[in-house]
Amino acid sequence: MSGTSEQDVIVVGGGLIGIASALGLRQLGLSVLLLDEGDVAHRAARGNFGLVWLQSKGGGSGDYVRWTRRSIDHWPDFSRELTELTGIDLGYRRPGGYHLCLSDTEFASRSALVDRIAPNQPDDAKTVMLDAAEVRRRIDGVGEGVVGASYNELDGDCNSLALFRALHEGFNRLGGRYKPSVRVDAVERDGGAYRVRTGEDSFGASKVVFAAGLGLNRFAGQVGMPEIVRPQRGQIIVTERLRPFLSMVFSQIRQLPNGTVLIGDTKEDAGFDNGTTSIIMRELAERAVKTLPHLANVNIVRAWGALRVLTHDGLPCYEEAPDWPGVFFATSHSAVTLAPGHAREFARWVAFGEAPPDLLGFSSARFRAAA
Ligand SMILES: Cc1cc2nc3c(=O)[nH]c(=O)nc-3n(C[C@H](O)[C@H](O)[C@H](O)COP(=O)(O)OP(=O)(O)OC[C@H]3O[C@@H](n4cnc5c(N)ncnc54)[C@H](O)[C@@H]3O)c2cc1C
């Protein structure tokens, strides 16, 4: 191959997808340079809720359910191997997950969702609806306002900041090169290889993976692909440390090993504003108290807003750019859940061209058709 390839692969974006892919590529023996813009960028990797979650996935896409399920199946091994490599405990657990409904309307709408996704869900891990009596039988201390729940036994959570740290540490230990505070501006052809340009520098590689989260659209435009991503804000509030009381995981409430309780997370169209608002924080707190009344006298110690990286239809987008062989794009919501999939299966696609068949339908062509 002509052109100047200083490494096999450059990964642009050191968020959850970029670093999981970079680690996977290193594990496959490729030389990898990871470039990340740093704290000025919007980084969903640092603001998420930490769920490893299947139950509500895949309204219109069996492929997405299968992809999520495979990732969840990889989680126990993946977590153990990453801990062996780095010494960092990811706090992964799979106690089963509940989405609690606080009105008959919510219960009906959740039941309709569960019915809709049932045909795409694996037979051995269907999401089920539980009535109020069953919820009370399983969970101590739920409020009178809880009218039922959906439940999936494969659902769980992890310490997502530990996951993020371990992915970076593992990449570093395996000899990956990481350059923080480097904003990539452009990708160009360089003979049969590629160069990515920053303000002052340029770096060459045979392949480039764009995993730049909300920064993806600019690169998609450069290689003739349509816009892929848009932001969606989520706000999360955090309580003071409490004695352990919640061993299962709720979609909107989870207790961390240090005793704090995370309460979240909203879905708001707020453009690129990742701030917090007192109205939303009050709504989150009220909902939490309705769910678990003993949270009423607990202090909230901090809150944050973060921007989800969503495609226009909420499904992932994975693609080798049509006229730029070796230039890959990857974006998905739920990249905590999908971290093993990115490190193992997506990395193999980039390294060896072995695309998992169920990812091929997630190209950006679907957005071109919609435009
Ligand atoms: C409120 C909230 C709750 C969530 N809860 C969950 C959950 O419970 N479970 C779950 O699985 N997922 C959850 N997520 C989603 C998860 O955090 C995202 O799917 C994931 O962070 C996306 O990873 P990413 O690498 O695509 O983007 P990011 O993590 O945002 O990383 C993108 C990176 O690209 C870099 N970058 C951007 N532009 C450039 C450029 N030009 N040059 C160099 N670098 C660049 C940025 O610096 C950034 O580090 C949640 C997200 C939010 C916001």
Side-chain angles (χ1 to χ4, degrees):
M1 180 175 282
S2 61
T4 42
S5 301
E6 294 127 30
Q7 43 269 310
D8 296 323
V9 188
I10 292 173
V11 177
V12 178
L16 271 168
I17 296 182
I19 185 57
S21 308
L23 174 71
L25 287 162
R26 265 312 293 148
Q27 286 173 319
L28 294 171
L30 279 75
S31 57
V32 183
L33 172 64
L34 175 67
L35 303 173
D36 188 78
E37 183 174 7
D39 286 337
V40 289
H42 294 286
R43 297 206 273 186
R46 289 168 189 263
N48 64 65
F49 202 61
L51 299 178
V52 178
W53 209 246
L54 177 71
Q55 69 165 269
S56 45
K57 298 284 164 61
S61 170
D63 283 344
Y64 185 38
V65 179
R66 280 184 286 280
W67 173 228
T68 304
R69 168 67 195 267
R70 280 209 307 284
S71 245
I72 286 179
D73 285 347
H74 286 310
W75 249 100
D77 275 359
F78 173 77
S79 167
R80 197 186 53 251
E81 285 171 15
L82 202 47
T83 300
E84 280 166 12
L85 177 63
T86 64
I88 297 170
D89 177 5
L90 309 191
Y92 174 60
R93 31 174 220 156
R94 188 189 282 177
Y98 295 83
H99 175 87
L100 298 179
C101 303
L102 297 185
S103 69
D104 291 338
T105 312
E106 277 186 28
F107 189 82
S109 126
R110 192 70 179 178
S111 301
L113 172 75
V114 167
D115 286 347
R116 207 164 56 245
I117 62 181
N120 285 332
Q121 287 207 310
D123 286 339
D124 61 337
K126 296 265 188 222
T127 301
V128 293
M129 293 303 296
L130 309 175
D131 63 18
E134 180 62 15
V135 172
R136 282 188 179 73
R137 196 182 67 72
R138 294 180 180 210
I139 309 169
D140 287 339
V142 289
E144 287 301 311
V146 174
V147 303
S150 59
Y151 171 77
N152 194 299
E153 66 186 22
L154 286 187
D155 288 338
D157 64 359
C158 72
N159 177 339
S160 62
L161 289 179
L163 164 68
F164 193 47
R165 198 154 44 86
L167 290 166
H168 273 275
E169 178 64 25
F171 178 66
N172 182 37
R173 287 196 185 194
L174 293 179
R177 287 174 59 218
Y178 174 46
K179 279 184 177 285
S181 306
V182 173
R183 177 187 162 87
V184 174
D185 292 322
V187 58
E188 296 167 358
R189 297 180 203 270
D190 181 17
Y194 298 102
R195 294 202 79 72
V196 299
R197 300 217 169 266
T198 69
E200 298 147 2
D201 237 327
S202 80
F203 304 91
S206 309
K207 296 180 178 177
V208 180
V209 174
F210 284 107
L214 288 171
L216 268 187
N217 287 341
R218 68 161 34 212
F219 303 112
Q222 289 173 15
V223 302
M225 285 164 49
E227 286 204 349
I228 302 171
V229 290
R230 64 182 171 90
Q232 181 193 64
R233 184 169 69 186
Q235 294 187 48
I236 292 174
I237 56 179
V238 186
T239 72
E240 63 187 313
R241 292 177 186 212
L242 306 174
R243 283 178 197 285
F245 70 94
L246 192 59
S247 58
M248 59 276 287
V249 184
F250 300 167
S251 58
Q252 295 185 313
I253 302 177
R254 48 184 290 253
Q255 187 172 31
L256 307 189
N258 70 7
T260 58
V261 178
L262 293 192
I263 300 167
D265 50 348
T266 53
K267 294 182 171 60
E268 302 161 63
D269 190 359
F272 282 87
D273 177 357
N274 66 354
T276 54
T277 63
S278 49
I279 293 177
I280 295 284
M281 285 194 275
R282 192 170 64 230
E283 282 173 16
L284 286 173
E286 282 171 0
R287 196 176 166 88
V289 170
K290 241 177 137 180
T291 306
L292 294 170
H294 75 276
L295 291 177
N297 298 319
V298 163
N299 291 313
I300 300 298
V301 293
R302 65 197 173 94
W304 69 78
L307 298 180
R308 290 187 190 82
V309 186
L310 284 191
T311 64
H312 301 298
D313 58 9
L315 295 170
C317 182
Y318 303 104
E319 182 166 12
E320 184 172 12
D323 298 321
W324 295 63
V327 172
F328 290 82
F329 284 73
T331 184
S332 179
H333 182 57
S334 298
V336 176
T337 307
L338 296 172
H342 293 138
R344 294 184 170 179
E345 299 191 34
F346 178 68
R348 288 193 75 80
W349 181 3
V350 174
F352 308 127
E354 296 169 6
D358 43 16
L359 296 199
L360 289 173
F362 291 129
S363 84
S364 64
R366 66 195 200 268
F367 305 130
R368 198 187 305 279

